[in-house]
Amino acid sequence: MTDSIVATPPLDVLVPPAASGADALGDTSAERGTIQRLLRVDPATREPDSDATLILSLASAWMYSDPDTLRKALCVYGEWNFVRVSVENNALFLASDVCFIQSRCRRLLILCVKGTEPGNIFNWLTDASVASQRFHALGRVHGGFARNVDVMWDMIDRHFHAALRGENIHDVLPGTADSPCTAVRSSTDGGPAPEAPGKLEALYITGHSLGAAMAALAAARLFTDNKYGEIRRLLRGVYTFGQPMVGDAAFASRAEDLFGDRCFRFVYANDIVPRLPPLSTGRFAHFGRAYRSKGEGWTYESKAAGQTRTFLVGASVGIFAWIKQQLPIIRWIPVPFSWGDHSPANYVEASQQGTAQPALFRFRID
């Protein structure tokens, strides 16, 4: 068993890759780039932005890889600074991995949370730790999800407030050889990142699967303390992909009132995970605005998915659905949900339908 904290920072920001000098600070080229589009998103529209959906689905998908691969995937869309922090304790079923992505001009910050690793049994045990616990004054939530947010919260708090003050997030965790927390820095241009003016103007929170559940709870926690008032004001959206339910009806109702108009849940086709945890483990409910796709963009869905009855039945049907997709002879058989539809690749491919950008398997070569 392990008990560790690992921080792996940097990557660098959202401007066209060729930008340099003043443009690299987000002044000229950034005005035409993705960073400026994300900064202009108005949360009052109650609709997800197509560029934000693509970038955040990409970040959520490539969080399953190593930091350098994540950098190469996202730097197609510009340069970024990354700080990646993980906490693992198998005995406590803790496996929390988050990445802070800050624009070089320091006006934009993305918190991306890693989802369930298919081969990590402790991730699955975290998902299965459904015994509910009180989540401040908002209601009761899935205990496994909440504990993984709790153990990371000090790091999230420190990075959020550093970004709010206009500081470089690379300076939050200096790291030493004797510390359980290690910080590693990298730069896409081979040199130090230039100092840039500006303070945080826009915050996005995202994740896929377990990461989506933790992203939703991290956003909810911002509404539990007045110290986060300014950060709440800058929250442009919580974009979750294949998110399971995270709390009971009381929690869902309270979260809906507080930030439901800025919470966008994306569900690909018959993905089974948004219908979990099963009813046999207790009553859970969704909140936020749901969008569904079968591969051709996202469509608003007014009716939230209900829970599966038991995990065994749900898992069996979901596995059969995946097998069915591989065999044309039985592909016609209708099924209500599928494990195959939960792949993060499906979410990226659906998200890029609303843009002219190639996405999932495009890399920047250093």
Side-chain angles (χ1 to χ4, degrees):
M1 72 186 67
T2 64
D3 187 355
S4 61
I5 300 178
V6 179
T8 315
L11 292 188
D12 257 339
V13 175
L14 256 163
V15 289
S20 62
D23 288 352
L25 299 181
D27 295 332
T28 303
S29 296
E31 291 293 320
R32 302 187 296 273
T34 308
I35 186 171
Q36 197 62 28
R37 175 62 184 270
L38 268 63
L39 287 169
R40 286 199 301 263
V41 169
D42 182 1
T45 62
R46 293 171 54 87
E47 292 291 339
D49 176 79
S50 59
D51 283 356
T53 302
L54 176 59
I55 291 296
L56 299 176
S57 68
L58 276 166
S60 299
W62 287 108
M63 268 294 286
Y64 291 100
S65 64
D66 61 90
D68 187 58
T69 303
L70 176 62
R71 175 184 66 82
K72 289 176 180 177
L74 289 190
C75 282
V76 170
Y77 301 88
E79 303 297 315
W80 307 76
N81 293 318
F82 282 61
V83 175
R84 189 161 176 174
V85 184
S86 62
V87 177
E88 183 176 354
N89 186 319
N90 295 344
L92 298 177
F93 303 143
L94 293 174
S96 190
D97 190 339
V98 303
C99 190
F100 304 92
I101 308 171
Q102 182 189 45
S103 65
R104 193 180 298 264
C105 63
R106 303 181 190 174
R107 297 162 62 195
L108 174 68
L109 182 69
I110 297 170
L111 170 62
C112 185
V113 189
K114 183 179 177 181
T116 302
E117 286 275 13
N120 188 329
I121 184 61
F122 295 100
N123 276 177
W124 287 96
L125 290 174
T126 294
D127 294 340
S129 301
V130 297
S132 66
Q133 66 181 55
R134 193 75 185 170
F135 191 83
H136 304 274
L138 303 186
R140 301 190 69 84
V141 300
H142 184 296
F145 300 159
R147 287 188 292 276
N148 272 268
V149 173
D150 289 344
V151 75
M152 195 61 75
W153 191 252
D154 178 64
M155 293 294 181
I156 295 174
D157 177 280
R158 290 164 64 182
H159 284 83
F160 278 2
H161 280 96
L164 192 61
R165 294 189 296 267
E167 299 172 3
N168 189 325
I169 58 171
H170 291 174
D171 299 331
V172 175
L173 298 174
T176 66
D178 298 326
S179 172
C181 181
T182 304
V184 180
R185 302 185 182 193
S186 63
S187 174
T188 56
D189 59 12
E195 290 301 314
K199 295 184 179 181
L200 184 64
E201 295 179 17
L203 169 67
Y204 292 84
I205 302 178
T206 191
H208 170 265
S209 192
L210 167 64
M214 291 175 61
L217 288 179
R221 186 150 178 179
L222 294 177
F223 291 85
T224 64
D225 192 322
N226 289 334
K227 69 182 284 189
Y228 300 115
E230 182 64 12
I231 297 174
R232 291 196 297 264
R233 186 182 68 80
L234 301 179
L235 180 62
R236 299 296 175 87
V238 182
Y239 288 61
T240 68
F241 304 93
Q243 178 201 316
M245 303 173 201
V246 298
D248 63 12
F251 172 84
S253 177
R254 186 69 177 127
E256 182 68 38
D257 292 341
L258 293 171
F259 66 101
D261 58 345
R262 284 178 280 179
C263 182
F264 308 114
R265 293 188 300 102
F266 297 92
V267 181
Y268 186 83
N270 295 320
D271 185 353
I272 187 176
V273 173
R275 301 190 64 174
L276 299 175
L279 188 59
S280 59
T281 63
R283 292 189 177 275
F284 288 77
H286 275 304
F287 65 92
R289 296 175 60 81
Y291 295 80
R292 189 177 294 273
S293 174
K294 292 187 177 180
E296 299 179 353
W298 298 103
T299 302
Y300 173 69
E301 186 172 73
S302 59
K303 184 179 179 181
Q307 293 174 266
T308 60
R309 290 193 174 276
T310 68
F311 180 78
L312 182 60
V313 172
S316 299
V317 173
I319 292 171
F320 172 75
W322 180 83
I323 295 173
K324 178 179 75 75
Q325 290 174 341
Q326 319 309 313
L327 302 174
I329 194 171
I330 60 172
R331 196 170 292 167
W332 60 272
I333 302 175
V335 290
F337 33 77
S338 168
W339 281 110
D341 288 343
H342 188 56
S343 168
N346 294 328
Y347 286 90
V348 175
E349 290 168 0
S351 297
Q352 75 182 64
Q353 299 302 314
T355 73
Q357 300 279 6
L360 186 60
F361 299 115
R362 187 182 178 195
F363 283 85
R364 175 175 172 177
I365 305 300
D366 295 331

